[in-house]
Amino acid sequence: MWNELRASWALLIGIGFMMLGNGLQSTLLGLRATMEGFPTFTTGIMMSGYFIGIFVGSMIAPKLVQRVGHIRVFAALASLASISILVHGIYVSAITWSIMRLITGISYAGLFVVSESWLNDRASNETRGQMLSVYMVVITIGLGGGQFLLNLGSPANVDLFVLVSIIVSIGLIPILLTARPAPAFALTGKMSLAELYRASPLAVISNGLTGIAQGTVFGLGAVYARQELYDVKLISIFMASFLLGSLIFQWPIGWISDRVSRRVVMIGMSVMAIAACIAAMLLPKSGPLFFAVIVILGGAVMPMYSLSIAYANDRLKPEQIVPASGGLVMVAGMGLSAGPIIVSFLMGKFGSMFYFIGIASAFALLMVFAVYRMTVTKRVAPSDRKSIVVAGLIGTPVAEYNAHDAEDYVESIICGESGNLYEQSESNESATERKL
């Protein structure tokens, strides 16, 4: 893997800078919106624009790349992302900001498609899973680091908006100057939501509900923190704590879920998230214990998407995995977009405590549905499972199902170095035939 990392350092550094800017931008906009007196519901709609843009962009960008190539699409969308944040700083308007958030989401979806398919091209089948893990760590650290940049200026001024534009522009330089030729690119088929639900109802429902929780965390976190914490430094720590929880809990939860029932792990994580939400509402704000609870909540919220993807893959045939990825991203996009809108309405009507009530409610529904599914279907034996996929804020990378060798890409991530997915499937079928 070290050879691939050395060959990909420019990409990883560029992605890190882009996520640094993205992390600062998201929190900055939520904070500035409350300072400008935007109603909470209006802010929720505005912040959901990014996730709607991610959803739309993940469908549009692959077609653009196929038509005009990686470099042109990357440069065009990066310019849009840089321009959109500057427009936020110049024109303070809920309508303008909502449109710019939509454009930002579309831009980042395209950047993800290009950078991930490029990174995929650099890796071999034996190292793609490890490379993806490094990639997601870089993204998480970048998003977390962006929170602390809030302290470099006043959110009331244009300075931080300009800083985001500069950081995003810096991130483009190493990626655009990479010497390796752009990879080939071809679109693969997608599975309809109805087919995906028939294959794995729990994966679809948990994906959507997890999207609602994650969209609430990052779409409205700064709004809640502004209302309850006031101090910019504490707001930075609050938002970074979610990402710290993701870094701490992602691997242990994946390791456990590969050895016991994934549905049991989902239920356990749901209970952990609900308990953390209740504790966060009851504890004094700004104390060390409060932030420790937020770390635990982040550790429950963030890895759940990876677990949902792994659960779906346990129940899919090999040829269904790549097409299903598109459907799973679509469901997640719906949840990510709906979460900030629904919860912001409740926060505006009933108070800031509904930030945590909204997150807890999503996990309560997930827990109930997981328990129900346990009563009607049997578990998949550990020997028949695929290793958990490490996923990011929008689930599996959007390039996973439209890269030029997407089938090998997904297969290597799921199977790691343990062997070929198709060979495992054939082996399981042969074993069944011998028993019969």
Side-chain angles (χ1 to χ4, degrees):
M1 183 184 72
W2 295 110
N3 291 332
E4 284 84 354
L5 284 175
R6 280 194 293 270
S8 306
W9 68 268
L11 271 174
L12 294 173
I13 289 176
I15 291 165
F17 271 101
M18 288 161 53
M19 291 302 102
L20 192 68
N22 196 14
L24 171 58
Q25 177 178 351
S26 178
T27 305
L28 172 62
L29 291 176
L31 183 57
R32 179 66 180 271
T34 59
M35 295 173 69
E36 294 291 340
F38 289 2
T40 303
F41 183 54
T42 301
T43 302
I45 294 175
M46 179 197 75
M47 297 304 289
S48 71
Y50 173 80
F51 301 113
I52 296 172
I54 287 285
F55 172 70
V56 173
S58 65
M59 307 301 155
I60 296 175
K63 297 177 183 177
L64 291 176
V65 172
Q66 197 175 36
R67 180 177 298 178
V68 300
H70 284 71
I71 298 296
R72 290 179 180 175
V73 171
F74 194 89
L77 294 181
S79 297
L80 277 177
S82 184
I83 292 169
S84 66
I85 186 59
L86 293 177
V87 174
H88 281 92
I90 297 171
Y91 300 102
V92 181
S93 158
I95 295 176
T96 302
W97 281 23
S98 298
I99 296 172
M100 290 303 104
R101 285 300 283 167
L102 177 68
I103 292 174
T104 300
I106 293 173
S107 300
Y108 270 97
L111 297 178
F112 289 143
V113 167
V114 173
S115 60
E116 288 166 15
S117 59
W118 222 319
L119 191 67
N120 170 40
D121 187 62
R122 280 166 160 68
S124 64
N125 281 353
E126 291 75 23
T127 61
R128 280 197 182 94
Q130 300 171 68
M131 289 288 288
L132 180 60
S133 298
V134 173
Y135 169 79
M136 294 315 307
V137 168
V138 169
I139 284 182
T140 305
I141 291 174
L143 288 169
Q147 311 306 317
F148 296 102
L149 296 181
L150 277 172
N151 299 284
L152 297 181
S154 171
N157 299 328
V158 75
D159 303 22
L160 291 177
F161 293 89
V162 174
L163 179 60
V164 173
S165 180
I166 292 172
I167 292 172
V168 171
S169 299
I170 291 173
L172 305 179
I173 296 171
I175 297 176
L176 292 178
L177 293 180
T178 185
R180 185 158 181 166
F185 199 88
L187 300 176
T188 64
K190 294 180 177 63
M191 184 183 257
S192 72
L193 291 184
E195 293 173 320
L196 186 56
Y197 185 84
R198 285 194 294 270
S200 182
L202 179 56
V204 173
I205 298 299
S206 64
N207 235 23
L209 291 172
T210 299
I212 289 175
Q214 290 187 356
T216 300
V217 165
F218 291 100
L220 298 174
V223 176
Y224 169 85
R226 169 68 179 175
Q227 295 174 2
E228 296 290 335
L229 301 177
Y230 307 108
D231 185 76
V232 172
K233 185 180 295 184
L234 294 178
I235 294 173
S236 302
I237 297 173
F238 176 78
M239 295 303 299
S241 295
F242 286 103
L243 296 161
L244 178 60
S246 175
L247 283 175
I248 294 172
F249 284 85
Q250 178 75 64
W251 186 87
I253 288 175
W255 185 87
I256 293 170
S257 74
D258 284 341
R259 287 155 179 80
V260 300
S261 170
R262 297 205 203 277
R263 289 179 294 196
V264 170
V265 178
M266 285 183 179
I267 293 169
M269 290 173 64
S270 298
V271 171
M272 185 170 77
I274 294 168
C277 287
I278 294 172
M281 287 188 287
L282 297 177
L283 287 170
K285 307 304 181 286
S286 78
L289 190 56
F290 173 75
F291 291 110
V293 167
I294 300 305
V295 171
I296 293 172
L297 180 58
V301 172
M302 305 312 297
M304 182 65 87
Y305 201 13
S306 300
L307 188 57
S308 300
I309 300 297
Y311 180 84
N313 289 337
D314 291 341
R315 284 157 175 76
L316 294 171
K317 298 176 181 178
E319 64 273 13
Q320 292 178 312
I321 292 174
V322 174
S325 297
L328 292 170
V329 169
M330 184 181 297
V331 172
M334 293 176 182
L336 287 162
S337 305
I341 296 174
I342 296 171
V343 177
S344 66
F345 174 78
L346 296 173
M347 288 175 67
K349 280 282 187 180
F350 306 108
S352 59
M353 67 177 180
F354 269 82
Y355 174 74
F356 288 115
I357 292 176
I359 297 171
S361 299
F363 277 98
L365 291 172
L366 196 161
M367 179 179 65
V368 169
F369 195 73
V371 171
Y372 164 71
R373 292 302 301 173
M374 288 183 72
T375 65
V376 297
T377 60
K378 63 180 181 179
R379 62 173 288 196
V380 174
S383 59
D384 294 332
R385 294 193 201 153
K386 300 89 179 178
S387 297
I388 192 167
V389 179
V390 179
L393 299 179
I394 59 169
T396 50
V398 292
E400 176 183 297
Y401 60 94
N402 48 40
H404 73 287
D405 54 351
E407 292 186 6
D408 289 340
Y409 184 38
V410 178
E411 177 185 319
S412 65
I413 294 170
I414 294 169
C415 295
E417 298 179 2
S418 60
N420 185 281
L421 179 60
Y422 295 92
E423 292 174 357
Q424 288 184 2
S425 177
E426 291 172 0
S427 175
N428 292 337
E429 291 176 0
S430 300
T432 303
E433 291 173 358
R434 285 197 297 272
K435 289 179 182 179
L436 293 173

